[in-house]
Amino acid sequence: MTKGERLYEGKAKIVYITDDPDLLLIHFKDDATAFNGQKKGTISDKGVLNARISAALFRYLAEHGVANHFVDLPSEREMVARRLSIVPLEVVVRNVAAGSLAKRLGLAEGTRLARTVLEFYYKRDDLGDPLVNEYHIRALDLATPEEVAQLAATSLRVNDLLAAHLKPRRLELIDFKLEFGRTRDGQILLGDEISPDTCRFWDTETGERLDKDRFRRDLGGVEEAYQEVWRRIAG
Ligand code: 5GP
């Protein structure tokens, strides 16, 4: 497989086509952004760590029956993945109140939710990814009701699998964001990445934040937190 032209450059990744029409090469950058691109910085070796962490978690999920786009990790910051046309939704799953949910509903961060919460956001940078419900998704024809049901069921299964995998590694899965896409033959696969950029991980004993909130909130020790997550996942 050879790397072809650049297809797309996002905030944290660059996507290249390859000589195989069904495969892409995803390059993980050290660039970090927050608050819809208003805060910018770099986190040294973030790309390497996020590629490794994502690969390990995608492999684990595939072994447990969650179909996803991961194929291979041929170099330290490049991932080979199935080519998908992205469903323009972000699915957020929450076990503990934090971030935008804590703010929106007036809950103290760290409050355990009596039930897992699932939310959809419309992937639109120019609108700041607004929260949408199934009526909006239908009205804008972003996904069919069957697809929405599949995204929800898969996301809740990912939550159960990841929370169980991370707990013995002393990481509490507070919340996370997933993205999905369709293959050429219409199969829906989990895509994007699963990393401290897209998940909140808190130390199970101390509650220390080991994720991108350290960057978003200027808490310091950002690089160390990403390294620590990798150390615990690599076991
Ligand atoms: P919140 O809505 O509280 O800001 O985020 C909830 C969870 O989803 C957090 O784990 C956060 O990292 C993730 N998340 C939500 N939207 C985005 C996004 O646009 N980019 C990234 N990297 N993560 C997101």
Side-chain angles (χ1 to χ4, degrees):
M1 197 203 66
T2 52
K3 182 167 159 182
E5 276 178 27
R6 183 157 72 172
L7 180 67
Y8 163 83
E9 177 156 4
K11 286 173 272 192
K13 299 189 280 295
I14 309 173
V15 179
Y16 297 90
I17 57 167
T18 70
D19 56 353
D20 183 332
D22 288 323
L23 297 179
L24 297 174
L25 200 69
I26 304 173
H27 174 100
F28 285 71
K29 302 193 284 186
D30 287 347
D31 298 351
T33 64
F35 314 118
N36 200 24
Q38 289 173 58
K39 181 181 172 109
K40 290 194 174 77
T42 58
I43 300 172
S44 103
D45 277 343
K46 172 171 85 80
V48 175
L49 293 162
N50 281 0
R52 277 187 202 159
I53 293 166
S54 294
L57 296 178
F58 279 135
R59 278 197 188 105
Y60 162 76
L61 290 172
E63 281 163 13
H64 290 80
V66 178
N68 63 71
H69 73 155
F70 175 76
V71 176
D72 192 18
L73 199 67
S75 75
E76 60 171 20
R77 39 173 98 232
E78 285 178 326
M79 179 182 288
V80 179
R82 297 276 304 277
R83 185 170 188 164
L84 303 177
S85 73
I86 288 291
V87 175
L89 292 171
E90 297 185 346
V91 187
V92 169
V93 180
R94 304 177 184 270
N95 300 305
V96 173
S100 73
L101 179 87
K103 200 168 171 186
R104 187 168 356 105
L105 300 186
L107 298 170
E109 281 206 309
T111 309
R112 179 153 287 278
L113 298 162
R115 256 199 77 161
T116 303
V117 168
L118 187 122
E119 299 169 339
F120 295 101
Y121 293 84
Y122 180 24
K123 250 177 90 67
R124 275 282 299 266
D125 276 345
D126 58 332
L127 301 176
D129 298 342
L131 180 68
V132 290
N133 65 27
E134 297 188 32
Y135 290 86
H136 301 112
I137 295 171
R138 276 309 291 149
L140 275 68
D141 196 24
L142 304 177
T144 65
E146 294 73 28
E147 286 174 333
V148 170
Q150 191 187 338
L151 298 189
T154 304
S155 300
L156 294 173
R157 169 110 178 103
V158 168
N159 185 45
D160 290 344
L161 287 167
L162 286 184
H165 187 62
L166 296 171
K167 199 164 183 206
R169 292 164 172 81
R170 293 181 293 120
L171 294 172
E172 186 175 7
L173 183 60
I174 303 299
D175 57 29
F176 59 95
K177 181 258 299 181
L178 299 177
E179 296 187 24
F180 293 83
R182 305 177 182 99
T183 60
R184 275 200 294 172
D185 56 10
Q187 189 193 3
I188 290 198
L189 296 183
L190 174 62
D192 195 47
E193 66 179 284
I194 306 176
S195 72
D197 271 14
T198 61
C199 305
R200 287 194 172 94
F201 299 127
W202 293 3
D203 182 284
T204 48
E205 279 122 54
T206 65
E208 188 191 1
R209 291 163 193 272
L210 297 169
D211 55 56
K212 196 175 167 188
D213 274 347
R214 302 205 74 84
F215 169 77
R216 296 185 185 106
R217 303 180 186 192
D218 295 322
L219 300 176
V222 186
E223 281 87 0
E224 292 79 2
Y226 281 67
Q227 280 159 8
E228 184 59 24
V229 168
W230 169 242
R231 254 197 300 278
R232 293 188 191 187
I233 286 175

